[in-house]
């Protein structure tokens, strides 16, 4: 009964549009008061949830992504992607997807992709005569590649909560991220042929080479990050520090697009974003501890196993549960609450934690493209001037290929686990 009250208070506060961190904290506080436990327990658990070395990667990856956006590096990436794939039908749609793949290797956040590259991409597509619906839809959908291809902020949170290897999670996201890009490119090609969208530019190898040279140093950022982690040269946290240092060097000394004022602005934005995320992580860890202490996770596992012991059916149930939670809850909070509940079930039926991490994060990314949360849609509505409701309908067709990839990854775990087994488990 107490756990039921906990959820009633949480969803009631969310319905009243109370920020998720405060809603989690207040619902946890209500439980502590009702169960006659010391209030100081809330503070200890909140601080304990944030006290993790891998979580230090979060501010540095946010800082690196902010520097890349502010330093004009995203425009070089967009120009290279345009020269490389702009010759296809619906060229700028493919450019949109390709640029997201590259930027994914730097920021690790869908909102950063949508806010940084999104504005450049939508402006270019408008000038080329693309409909706003198509431009916004493909931009929103391609931004979800960011948290799957390493580095990834949600995968860092999942790794901490599940006590899974963040390095394995990072390399496990490479093939799924590329599959998402291919699926979205297929949808772009099909829609472009139906709507008569033009090729953006002829394939010119001289232009490809010129834009590649201009974007070469930014393109090395994901190589350094992923290569360093995969080779064991540094941890994900150290990789985040290297990414920030590399972005600073490019902006200050190579391209000279950064100055003290811009660095200060990015630093303030990083501090604000990190503070909000860490507060969510801290309060969600209290909420998760309450669920675990009251055997909610064990009860959930017993209920599912009583229904079926078929691994594929349980995976399907997990997908549905995560999808529903992702519709109403911010990604980091959802991860923090779901992981303690899902891990016991996964362990009992033999679901690999790395496989579970990828499908959970990809599933939650769909929540960024759907109301009522839909953070990516809110960002794109702001930067494009397209009404939020129109952004929602524009994105719907692009959910189809993403759902197809999610189902394939769910029921064919070898796709996700191929690189972790090759690089870490031999």
């Amino acid at each position: 009964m107490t756990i039921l009250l906990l959820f009633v208070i949480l969803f009631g506060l969310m319905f009243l549009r109370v920020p998720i961190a405060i809603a989690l904290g207040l619902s946890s506080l209500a439980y502590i008061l009702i169960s006659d436990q010391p209030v100081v327990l809330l503070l200890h658990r909140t601080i304990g949830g944030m006290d993790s070395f891998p979580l230090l990667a979060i501010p540095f990856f946010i800082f690196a992504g902010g520097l890349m956006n502010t330093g004009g590096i995203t425009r070089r990436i967009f120009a290279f992607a345009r020269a490389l794939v702009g010759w296809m039908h619906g060229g700028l749609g493919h450019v949109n997807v390709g640029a997201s793949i590259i930027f994914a290797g730097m920021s690790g956040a869908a909102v950063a992709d949508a806010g940084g590259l999104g504005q450049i991409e939508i402006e270019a597509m408008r000038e080329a005569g693309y409909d706003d619906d198509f431009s916004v839809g493909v931009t929103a959908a391609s931004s979800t590649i960011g948290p799957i291809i390493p580095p990834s902020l949600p995968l860092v949170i999942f790794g901490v909560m599940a006590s899974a290897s963040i390095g394995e999670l990072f390399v496990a996201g490479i093939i799924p991220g590329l599959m998402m890009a291919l699926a979205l490119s297929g949808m772009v090609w099909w829609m472009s042929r139906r709507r008569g969208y033009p090729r953006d530019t002829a394939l010119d190898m001289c232009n490809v080479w010129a834009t590649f040279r201009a974007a070469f140093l930014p393109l090395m950022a994901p190589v350094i990050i992923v290569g360093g982690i995969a080779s064991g040269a540094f941890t994900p946290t150290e990789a985040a520090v290297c990414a920030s240092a590399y972005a600073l060097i490019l902006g200050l000394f190579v391209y000279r697009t950064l100055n003290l004022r811009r660095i200060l602005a990015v630093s303030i934005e990083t501090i604000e974003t990190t503070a909000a995320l860490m507060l969510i992580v801290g309060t969600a860890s209290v909420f998760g501890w309450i669920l675990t202490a009251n055997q909610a996770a064990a009860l959930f596992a017993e209920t599912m196993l009583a229904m079926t012991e078929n691994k594929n059916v349980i995976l399907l149930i997990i997908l549905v549960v995560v999808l529903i939670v992702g519709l109403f809850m911010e990604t980091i909070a959802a991860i923090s609450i779901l992981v303690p509940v899902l891990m016991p079930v996964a362990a009992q039926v033999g679901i690999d934690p790395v496989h579970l991490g990828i499908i959970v994060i990809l599933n939650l990314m769909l929540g960024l493209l759907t109301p009522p949360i839909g953070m990516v849609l809110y960002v794109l509505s702001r930067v494009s001037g397209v009404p939020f409701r129109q952004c929602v309908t524009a994105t719907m067709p692009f959910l189809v290929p993403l759902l197809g990839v999610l189902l394939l990854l769910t029921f064919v775990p070898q796709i996700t686990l191929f690189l972790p087994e090759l690089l870490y488990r031999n």
Side-chain angles (χ1 to χ4, degrees), residues 153-171:
L153 301 183
L155 286 178
V156 171
I157 303 295
F158 183 93
V160 170
M161 295 294 173
S163 299
S165 166
I166 296 174
E168 288 190 31
L169 286 166
F170 273 15
V171 298

Side-chain angles (χ1 to χ4, degrees), residues 313-327 363:
V313 175
I314 288 177
L315 279 169
L316 189 59
I317 295 172
I318 289 174
L319 286 190
V320 174
V321 170
V322 175
L323 185 60
I324 293 172
V325 171
L327 292 176
N363 204 336

Side-chain angles (χ1 to χ4, degrees), residues 53 354 411:
F53 177 73
V354 172
F411 298 115

Side-chain angles (χ1 to χ4, degrees), residues 43 77 83 87 147 154 194 210 239 260 278 335 368 423:
L43 298 176
I77 294 170
W87 55 271
R194 289 191 63 190
L260 186 59
M278 293 301 285
I335 295 169
L368 297 177
L423 297 173

